[in-house]
Structure formats: C-alpha cells, structure tokens
Amino acid sequence: MWSLANPTRFMALAGRILPWLAAASAVLLAAGLYLAFFVAPADYQQGETVRIMFIHVPTAWLGLFFYTLMSLSAVGTLVWRHPLADVSQKAAAPIGAAFTFVCLVTGALWGKPMWGTWWVWDARLTSMLVLLLMYLGVMAMWRTVEDPGRAARAVSILTLVGFVNVPIVKFSVDWWNTLHQPASVFRLGGPTIHASMLWPLLVMALAFTLLSAALHLAGMRTEILRRRVRTLSILEAERLDREAA
Amino acid sequence: MGTAHQGFIVASYAITALVIAALILRALIDQRLQARALARLEARGVTRRSQARPAGRPAPEAG
C-alpha cells in the first residue's frame, strides 16, 4: 500500500484500473436505471415520485463520503506528508461538490410535490447546504495559494474544521425534529425499505460509487500531471534566466 | 409513468445527467490539456533534475 505513495507507480496502476472502473460503472448504471424505472413499483404514498430517490439518496451518500475522504487525506497531508494525500484532497473536492449539489436539487424537486415546498430550513437540509458551502470554500482556497504544498496544508486545516458538519448531517434527523424523514437504509434494525425498492437503490448507489471512484482516480492522475507541468515550467524559466544572465 | 409529477422526475434525472456529463468532460479535457503541456515541455528538452542523465544512458521509468 505504501509503495503506491510513489506517484509514478500510482499513475501506472490507476491507468490500468480506470477503464475497468468506467466500464463497470456504465454497466451498473444501465442496470440500475432499468431496475429503477421498470422493476421498482410506484410507492403507495409517493407514487412515481419515489424514482427521484434512486438518484437523490446515492448522491447524498457520496456527498458525505467524499468529504470524509477529503478529511482522511487532510490527515495524511498534515501528519504523514503522504505524497498523494493532497492530490487526493484536491481531486475529491469538485466531485463531492457536484454530488452534494445534485442531492440538494433532486431533494427540492422531490420536496415540491411531496411536501408542497422546494425548501425548508430544517436541520438535514440546512446541514447539507453547509456541506456544499464547505466544498466551495475548500475549492476556492485551493486557488488562493499558488504553491500546491502550502495550499494543501491550509486546505487540510479548513477541511478538518468542516468535518464537524459530517456527523451533524448524518444524525440531524435523530437529534432534531425535521421534515426530512429519518434514515431508512443504514440504521440499527435493518432497512425499512421493501426489497423491490432497496435493490434498485443499492445498484444505483454502487454504480454512482464506481463512477465517482473512476472520476477521482482520473482527477488524481491529472493533478499529478499538472504538478509535473508546473515543476518543468519553473525549471525552464530558471534555465532561461541563467542563459539570459 | 405519465403522472402529474412527471416533470419533477424528468428534471431530476436530466440535471443529474448534465452534472455527470460535465464532470466526465471536465476530467477528459483537463487531462488532455495537462498531457499536451507536459509533452510540449519535454519536446523542448525540459526534464526534471531526477531525470537528467548523461547521453547514452537509458531513460528512467516514465512518470
């Protein structure tokens, strides 16, 4: 595992894994969409609108997952100075932000017909919005410091401070009275969803997870290339300076 | 699926598809831009200090 800390080895391994991940996610996404639209029944209360859940729930999970991944990478940057930790952090931020955004939008599109409103300031929705703002803050901070190493340390601190929000999102529905329903899949006592809807949801979740893993690996490979370009550009500028002197 | 709420369902899937397509396109374009920039620098003979080597010696592992 530690040998993967070498960016060259990581590039080679990720390059081999990426096509398989992309293909597996495409196959699972096709299967998940088929199950979601043609196998899963309409809900007795929500009707057809329940089909929004098959994208809303996986994107919510991935929004939380990617922030947790960024926080673990932040620890890797600050404690172990792992060569790939800040690369992982930087590549994860836009993917997590995109999934959190999709979660909020699809939640609003489900909420309007079911609750009669696009938005309420309840604890789950508000903490999810805070998660999106944290992602945007982290992405903005990456752009404020030019040196990637220094930027990574500053971003790591911000990321770890923001991690406080992750358990708040998860447990908000238990700690406060919310309009948003409590957990119905990952809960003590098992899922409360019928198998005919649970399986399509799990297949869609796996498809989104593999897709996001492929995007993350691709993003990390590009970030390594970007740093090589930066290093070579500096070396070239130094050489031109020496020649001009 | 012709229901009163069909528009909400279609909008949800359409927005998700757009966002995912944007993520994939961004990844592909960014990767291509960086690879081209790296190739241009290497074509001009710029190499990292760790890759600098005397003429005639085999090139180190790419990376």
Side-chain angles (χ1 to χ4, degrees), chain A residues 188-216:
Chain A
L188 291 172
T192 54
I193 303 179
H194 190 265
S196 60
M197 289 177 184
L198 182 62
W199 280 108
L201 177 63
L202 293 179
V203 172
M204 286 293 275
L206 188 59
F208 274 85
T209 304
L210 293 185
L211 173 69
S212 63
L215 287 167
H216 189 228

Side-chain angles (χ1 to χ4, degrees), chain A residues 219-231:
Chain A
M220 285 180 71
R221 279 167 57 85
T222 303
E223 184 56 28
I224 290 169
L225 287 181
R226 192 188 331 277
R227 289 177 186 208
R228 286 180 181 168
V229 168
R230 182 176 185 274
T231 304

